[in-house]
Amino acid sequence: MGRLDNKVAVITGAAGGMGKADALLFVQEGAKVVLTDLQAEKVKEVAKEIEAMGGEALALKHNVASEEDWARVAEEAIARFGKIDILVNNAGISSATPYMEQTVESFERVMKINLNSVFLGQKAVIPHMIENGGGSIVNISSIAGLTGGSGAGPYTASKGAVRMLTKATAVDFAKYHIRVNSVHPGFIETPMTKDMFKDERMTTWFQSMTPLPRLGKAEDIARGVLFLASDESSYITGVELPIDGGYFAK
Ligand SMILES: NC(=O)c1ccc[n+]([C@@H]2O[C@H](COP(=O)([O-])OP(=O)(O)OC[C@H]3O[C@@H](n4cnc5c(N)ncnc54)[C@H](O)[C@@H]3O)[C@@H](O)[C@H]2O)c1
């Protein structure tokens, strides 16, 4: 028995990093997955890997900032698997441009990809969840969505807004048995952070901020996402789950 038997999950940003780790774990636990990413070829490779494991996966090219793309993703997911039980809004970009060098355009780009994507994804999928009698949405925020940090203004703003959009959506749609929670990763080794972690001084600094004596892995996040996606958390909605090696324990 898998923890996601008979469930259909849509996961964005699934070409690598945390999205791919979520996809592999979900399939091991019995889910069928719709994997989306801007990187069409890479996300197809992940779907092939899953099919080779005996799982079922549909790979779609998708810009999460586009409402038209979201309508197509929801339609193709329903056409292939008949329903959507789980949505993981994982795709995102980082931004390390100093504040005074940011422009309205660079600020809005981060907002569109990290925040508008969550608004649009929820809007596209919730009607299907209502029809289906319920669902679980997991929005990937960050420790940067819980506290300020230097040099990442738009990123921090977008991830803080994802946290509060999660709570507002949880309240609005609880009556339909739709749960909405956010996950807040700490310092995790993925393609997004690999260049940063190549710098030994940076890695030493990140580790000094984290009580558990290692950086996080995509699989550490996937296990928390699985819990919130599954029926094991059926009375949990509107919460934020830091998966951060103890960063917020201090
Ligand atoms: N790595 C970390 O330390 C860390 C920490 C906290 C939060 N996060 C968040 O976790 C999530 C996953 O990050 P990751 O570290 O796995 O990064 P990643 O760069 O490995 O993966 C992100 C994926 O999103 C895709 N993507 C980017 N823009 C897109 C768009 N417009 N439409 C569709 N797909 C798009 C990328 O192609 C990529 O495959 C992100 O939301 C990120 O902000 C990461």
Side-chain angles (χ1 to χ4, degrees), residues 12-19 36-39 62-65 89-94 113-114 140-143 155 159 184-193 197:
T12 69
M18 296 181 202
T36 84
D37 206 288
L38 262 188
Q39 302 187 71
H62 178 200
N63 175 5
V64 289
N89 279 311
N90 165 77
I93 55 168
S94 62
I113 297 173
N114 290 1
I140 307 303
S141 175
S142 169
I143 50 173
Y155 184 78
K159 292 299 188 180
H184 298 257
F187 304 119
I188 317 297
E189 290 179 290
T190 67
M192 184 185 274
T193 50
F197 292 147

Side-chain angles (χ1 to χ4, degrees), residues 138-159:
V138 184
N139 294 326
I140 307 303
S141 175
S142 169
I143 50 173
L146 294 168
T147 187
S150 170
Y155 184 78
T156 302
S158 70
K159 292 299 188 180

Side-chain angles (χ1 to χ4, degrees), residues 64-99:
V64 289
S66 154
E67 190 159 18
E68 295 79 59
D69 272 21
W70 267 112
R72 182 178 48 80
V73 165
E75 202 176 292
E76 292 196 30
I78 299 290
R80 169 78 185 264
F81 294 124
K83 62 173 183 164
I84 300 170
D85 300 290
I86 297 161
L87 169 63
V88 183
N89 279 311
N90 165 77
I93 55 168
S94 62
S95 134
T97 312
Y99 193 99

Side-chain angles (χ1 to χ4, degrees), residues 165-176:
L165 182 61
T166 298
K167 291 183 194 297
T169 316
V171 172
D172 276 345
F173 295 97
K175 58 178 173 288
Y176 299 108

